[in-house]
Amino acid sequence: MKVVLLGPPGAGKGTQAARIAEYLDVPSVASGDLFRDHQKRDTELGRLARSYMQRGVLVPDEVTISMVTEWIETEAGTGGFLLDGFPRTLGQAEALDGALSNTDGLDRVLYIRVSNDELVRRLTGRLVCRGCGATFHRVSNPPPAHGACEDCGGELYEREDDRPEAVGKRLEVYFSETAPLIDYYREAGILREVDGEQSIDEVGRVLIGEIGSGS
Ligand code: AP5
Ligand code: MG
């Protein structure tokens, strides 16, 4: 299956991606993680992406589209995949449709809905593992008492774009650039909307249920 996770910053896309990909037995990728990996390796693309990400604005479509479609070609091939955080503009959605035009297209877009106050609360308390990318939250999903990643023992850090100024900008950009995709995919008949303000396990259970729900 070819599935997209859609939702505002802090909705829980990354938190749910691993379990959904495991359930579907498909490779998954977060466009934000691809950019962060380029930054870590200090590539030209990483330096370019950082100049946008730091400010909480989107990286331009042309670079983002080629990076993700390349990932689909090399990592997913003709099998299924799970995309977290791509597409995020109408231009990216149309490019993805184009890249999948010789397949039967996307099967599902899972939209995780969360209120603004809760998003701010989640982003400002988030901790991310440098080793495996697992996410934790200081209050709602605390890491083990020793302060390292529960999965791989890696060091936990706060993302640069989780500073309050960047969080505000990311939410604004989400509403102007990405929220229109909700209607785009609803009209295509593949959108499934899930209440993201339940426990992490419950959100995961409902998302998996929606993947198989009637077309
Ligand atoms: P990206 O890394 O994708 O960030 P984002 O969309 O802003 O989303 P987040 O990763 O912040 O949130 P999430 O939904 O994954 O939430 P999480 O699971 O971590 O993108 C970063 C930047 O890269 C963008 O701003 C842009 O510049 C660039 N970029 C990326 N893709 C792009 C694209 N396609 N085009 C252009 N530019 C692009 O959860 C958040 C917190 O909440 C965690 O602490 C977690 O533990 C907690 N939590 C999760 N679920 C629950 C729950 N049910 N209850 C309580 N707490 C919960
Ligand atoms: Mg994420």
Side-chain angles (χ1 to χ4, degrees), residues 145-163:
H146 50 77
C149 176
E150 173 173 77
D151 299 334
C152 75
E155 182 201 356
L156 302 178
Y157 76 105
E158 284 179 42
R159 265 171 50 177
E160 206 171 16
D161 59 350
D162 283 346
R163 292 186 329 272

Side-chain angles (χ1 to χ4, degrees), residues 43-54:
T43 66
E44 197 180 324
L45 173 57
R47 288 191 291 274
L48 174 81
R50 183 156 193 260
S51 66
Y52 293 92
M53 291 169 75
Q54 260 184 329

Side-chain angles (χ1 to χ4, degrees), residues 14 84 126 159:
D84 157 1
R126 172 166 57 184
R159 265 171 50 177

Side-chain angles (χ1 to χ4, degrees), residues 17 21 26-34 67-68 71-72 75 81-86:
V26 294
S28 79
V29 78
S31 39
D33 288 345
L34 290 179
M67 179 183 72
V68 177
W71 179 88
I72 293 175
E75 302 293 326
F81 55 72
L82 177 72
L83 299 179
D84 157 1
F86 181 94

